Amino acid sequence: FTSVMIEGSHLDYEENVALTKKVVDYAHERGVTVEGELGQLAGIEDDVNVSAEDASFTDPDQVEDFVTRTGVDSLAIAIGTSHGAYKFTPEQCTKDPKTGRLVPPPLAFDILDAIMEKLPGFPIVLHGSSSVPQEYVDEINEYGGKLPDAIGIPEEELRKAAKSAVCKINIDSDSRLAMTATVRKVFATKPGEFDPRKYLGPARDEMEKLYKRKIVDVLGSNRTAE
């Protein structure tokens, strides 16, 4: 590997610093870059469930000390993103009167701005940034799924973040939704189909289409690789 990520945000601050520095020292000796994390995201990741009450925004007053003492090459922060397809509870959201859909609370860009002031030019990362496209949620529900109130990060907020010091935005749930929606549709509309190529192939193509659109229209990273 040329880069690794160490997630110590569930620990108290000093333990996170110590663990992250240990990983950085080991990785840097081998020419590997390290992404650390400060601030804890809500949601479910790898079967670990962090409630909204236990989540915490990144403290801008800690970032300079954390980066200096650990030596990380990039920093994942918490400004309101969340893991999984259920990033917010209905109580955290408002409702669009025209569509009836939930509208999530805005990301804390004031915290991002404060962090950028403390760490000018330093690479920032956002985890838990899937948008949970409602067309996939609707399709999954139409063909026998059950994803009530699944909601993600609005793409316009990701576009704004991508124009700042945020250089990496993690997206996973969107691809899971794209694949699940496509597979469910094939099973429902072609019940006699049993060849995996006939449902996994279209699912893969849908994931590819999703990520191409994200790269070009949302993240602004098209044609930027050196």
Side-chain angles (χ1 to χ4, degrees):
F1 296 97
T2 58
S3 64
V4 297
M5 187 267 170
I6 174 63
E7 211 285 68
S9 66
H10 58 288
L11 303 171
D12 70 35
Y13 180 74
E14 289 298 330
E15 290 177 321
N16 188 4
V17 169
L19 175 62
T20 303
K21 185 180 186 309
K22 182 178 180 181
V23 172
V24 169
D25 290 345
Y26 183 90
H28 281 184
E29 288 178 358
R30 292 155 178 81
V32 174
T33 61
V34 179
E35 173 189 321
E37 184 166 354
L38 189 60
Q40 191 168 17
L41 273 62
I44 299 176
E45 182 184 36
D46 297 331
D47 296 326
V48 177
N49 188 356
V50 178
S51 68
E53 292 76 17
D54 292 331
S56 59
F57 284 168
T58 302
D59 183 350
D61 290 333
Q62 291 180 329
V63 295
E64 188 174 8
D65 179 74
F66 186 84
V67 167
T68 300
R69 291 172 60 189
T70 62
V72 291
D73 303 285
S74 61
L75 181 65
I77 63 171
I79 60 169
T81 58
S82 179
H83 294 298
Y86 294 93
K87 299 185 183 300
F88 308 99
T89 65
E91 292 74 25
Q92 293 176 289
C93 303
T94 57
K95 186 168 287 189
D96 187 325
K98 295 182 179 179
T99 65
R101 293 190 185 276
L102 296 177
V103 178
L107 298 182
F109 281 100
D110 57 329
I111 293 179
L112 174 59
D113 290 341
I115 290 171
M116 290 192 296
E117 286 185 14
K118 299 284 187 178
L119 298 173
F122 194 80
I124 301 299
V125 177
L126 292 183
H127 292 181
S129 297
S130 285
S131 300
V132 188
Q134 292 302 294
E135 61 267 28
Y136 293 140
V137 173
D138 291 344
E139 195 166 51
I140 289 170
N141 292 335
E142 178 183 354
Y143 293 113
K146 190 176 182 181
L147 291 176
D149 299 329
I151 191 170
I153 308 300
E155 289 187 340
E156 58 267 25
E157 297 205 341
L158 298 180
R159 291 188 184 97
K160 180 177 178 180
K163 294 177 181 178
S164 68
V166 175
C167 65
K168 176 169 169 273
I169 295 177
N170 288 13
I171 296 170
D172 176 30
S173 294
D174 287 354
S175 62
R176 300 186 191 194
L177 292 167
M179 170 166 274
T180 298
T182 305
V183 170
R184 279 191 173 275
K185 182 177 181 179
V186 172
F187 285 167
T189 59
K190 300 178 180 179
E193 189 57 73
F194 66 92
D195 185 344
R197 292 171 294 182
K198 298 299 178 65
Y199 54 85
L200 293 180
R204 179 195 60 203
D205 292 342
E206 190 63 33
M207 291 172 65
E208 181 180 343
K209 183 175 74 174
L210 165 76
Y211 278 119
K212 281 183 176 179
R213 196 187 68 77
K214 292 281 189 179
I215 289 169
V216 174
D217 297 333
V218 181
L219 306 179
S221 54
N222 189 38
R223 300 185 183 278
T224 58
E226 294 181 357

